[in-house]
Amino acid sequence: MAEDRNLILAFESSCDETSVAVIENGNKILSNIVATQIKSHKRFGGVVPEVASRHHIEQVTYCIDDALCEANVDYDDLDAVVVTYGPGLVGSLLVGVTAAKTVAYAHDLPLVPVNHMAGHIYAARFAGELHFPALALLVSGGHTELVYLSGPYDFKIIGETRDDACGEAYDKVGRVLGLTYPAGKQIDEMAHKGHDTFHFPRAMEKEDNFDFSFSGLKSAFINTVHHADQIGEKLDENDLAASFQQSVVDVLAEKTIRCLKEFPVKQLILAGGVAANQGLRTRLDEELQAFDDVELIKAPLKLCGDNAAMIGAAGYEAYLAGIRGGLDLNADPSLEFDWI
Ligand code: KG4
Ligand code: ZN
């Protein structure tokens, strides 16, 4: 490596995006190739694991070539290979892990395992420097968590969903409205044209903990739509979307603000696929005005969904911390989030 330049080749394949990125010094994206499979999964209304693995196998070598080419670097320029090894779909993870191990072995590079959730948090690194201690609100298709970071490498979950993840709830209610998967962005757009006329429940909002629950809200939404269908009533879909979103945003904001009061931090990090939600971004902007000494740092919109750049940013910290994987590194579909 050039003395002042650290170059990392990052892999992400935990779900339905095959992605390879080249990251310089942990904070500069030289390339971030994302091959999405959404079209293939849409007709099934969700990700089909076997279909996902096959797509990853087809795409991964093209993604590596494109990432290196776009970054204008060669294997010899690299300092490390980093890869998501969990949590996620096992067949999908295995493709990225195997590709990363192959590159590391063939080019004698250190291999660094990265937790996918740490990657989501580090997407915010591209919006600005992270300062610790920090609190992260991590909202994605598979996770809804409040995570306390006492340092760049020290994670502690202080609240999580007891049932559906937030993005999962968006996708499930979207299905009832006949929207295609993934429905989060569409519901977000509809919500801005409607009003909270249904007043769906805000589960656990006032409970004395930092956990979440979205299955009651999902059921209330589905029951409302089915009941209207049965009696032949036409409901305003924008109002349904707005009411659903208001309930989600109220609960997320309320718990996050309470958490900030209990755990003083320098930054609040908003990350994960659902962090792209405009209602949530605006609400946290407003709420954070009451906190003079807490900076809100939001993952850039383009990096909220799964991508290898965020894995590269987290992997850079893991690399500096000396974390290494051997050639026996395996995918861990249920990897816990207590370390990277
Ligand atoms: O982080 P991500 O790309 O994949 C996982 O690791 O799960 O998150 C995907 C999730 C999907 O459930 C999708 O519907 C949701 O993020 N999503 C949104 C928005 N954009 C994506 N949810 C609400 N509002 C959005 N604007
Ligand atoms: Zn993800």
Side-chain angles (χ1 to χ4, degrees), residues 108-299:
D108 199 17
L109 290 163
L111 177 71
V112 181
V114 172
N115 185 308
H116 181 75
M117 307 321 295
H120 272 302
I121 291 178
Y122 269 89
R125 178 67 189 86
F126 297 108
E129 213 172 311
L130 303 188
H131 298 293
F132 304 97
L135 180 73
L137 174 62
L138 190 47
V139 273
S140 77
H143 289 256
T144 308
E145 276 147 14
L146 277 165
V147 185
Y148 184 80
L149 294 93
S150 48
Y153 237 71
D154 206 348
F155 301 83
K156 187 173 174 1
I157 294 183
I158 45 185
E160 62 193 329
T161 182
R162 302 235 177 127
D163 39 60
D164 289 352
C166 185
E168 187 183 358
Y170 267 94
D171 297 336
K172 285 180 177 166
V173 303
R175 207 168 167 168
V176 175
L177 294 183
L179 304 176
T180 51
Y181 168 87
K185 187 164 188 275
Q186 301 165 74
I187 294 185
D188 189 12
E189 286 162 3
M190 290 163 67
H192 287 86
K193 297 181 214 147
H195 302 280
D196 179 10
T197 53
F198 291 93
H199 305 296
F200 290 129
R202 273 90 170 132
M204 300 176 68
E205 194 185 19
K206 303 288 174 208
E207 278 186 28
D208 190 19
N209 57 50
F210 300 112
D211 287 343
F212 304 96
S213 164
F214 294 104
S215 77
L217 167 62
K218 177 194 68 186
S219 301
F221 183 102
I222 294 173
N223 290 343
T224 302
V225 173
H226 284 172
H227 178 69
D229 278 352
Q230 278 162 3
I231 60 172
E233 192 187 343
K234 180 88 190 93
L235 300 178
D236 184 312
E237 295 196 342
N238 290 336
D239 285 350
L240 279 167
S243 305
F244 174 82
Q245 178 143 312
Q246 192 61 52
S247 174
V248 171
V249 169
D250 278 353
V251 174
L252 291 175
E254 164 99 9
K255 293 253 164 170
T256 304
I257 296 310
R258 200 136 45 81
C259 205
L260 282 177
K261 287 179 181 158
E262 194 155 320
F263 298 88
V265 291
K266 291 185 180 152
Q267 282 183 336
L268 172 65
I269 298 170
L270 176 62
V274 185
N277 188 277
Q278 290 303 330
L280 181 59
R281 290 172 92 89
T282 308
R283 174 68 173 271
L284 290 180
D285 275 336
E286 290 163 7
E287 296 275 0
L288 265 282
Q289 283 175 12
F291 291 79
D292 286 344
D293 41 4
V294 184
E295 182 194 5
L296 174 61
I297 181 154
K298 294 171 280 193

Side-chain angles (χ1 to χ4, degrees), residues 73-92:
V73 302
D74 200 354
Y75 287 111
D76 294 341
D77 302 320
L78 298 173
D79 294 280
V81 178
V82 314
V83 61
T84 303
Y85 76 113
L89 302 170
V90 67
S92 294

